[in-house]
Amino acid sequence: MTSFSIIEPDSSEELDAYYQLRFEVLRKPWNQPQSSTRDEGEERSIHILMKDENGMAIATGRLQINSDSEGQVRSMAVHENFRGLGLGSKVLRYIENKAKEKNLTKIILDAREPAVHFYEKHGYKVIAESYMLFGVIPHLKMTKNLFGGTI
Ligand SMILES: CC(C)(COP(=O)(O)OP(=O)(O)OC[C@H]1O[C@@H](n2cnc3c(N)ncnc32)[C@H](O)[C@@H]1OP(=O)(O)O)[C@@H](O)C(=O)NCCC(=O)NCCS
């Protein structure tokens, strides 16, 4: 891969590609219906889509605005052929910069257990156990103070 771009999907084509990748990575492998991809927080979220040089959707992420001070990272998904290349890290940094622009001070998220290490590498700390998704994917609640200091 030679280049990539990060956009905030706007056109119906971009939004379709964004939701399709979210579905394929985060829902389809567990036989969940397409309708399960969208949740109650879509309208209060900034959506992020990464495309490769051919315009193919390769990563997604999202900053959900929970309050004047708190954001939530959701829908982090990298196409399976592109994992471990630093793309998820780029999407996460984009989200954190957006949160800072909006003067949010703290980010929370519910991490799938296999992704906990990824978030730890970016300075997130596990603070509690969270829910079990589809009866098989344990989640851990994690948080990060965007401007340093204790959480
Ligand atoms: C988790 C995910 C978003 C990370 O994106 P990525 O592009 O693969 O991650 P990066 O290449 O930016 O990795 C950054 C670091 O995290 C580590 N890492 C990434 N995914 C990991 C995983 N599943 N388990 C352990 N470590 C992981 C990488 O090894 C790398 O560390 P290194 O620099 O020491 O090698 C991506 O793997 C993914 O979409 N996974 C499936 C869906 C998922 O679980 N999403 C998260 C829901 S909470």
Side-chain angles (χ1 to χ4, degrees), residues 25 76-78 83-89 111-112 114 117-119 121:
V25 174
M76 286 291 298
V78 176
R83 290 185 197 150
L85 300 174
L87 303 186
S89 296
R112 293 182 181 206
H117 177 68
F118 166 75
Y119 292 114
K121 288 208 67 154

Side-chain angles (χ1 to χ4, degrees), residues 106-117:
K106 176 183 166 184
I107 289 189
I108 62 160
L109 57 86
D110 292 299
R112 293 182 181 206
E113 201 170 47
V116 165
H117 177 68

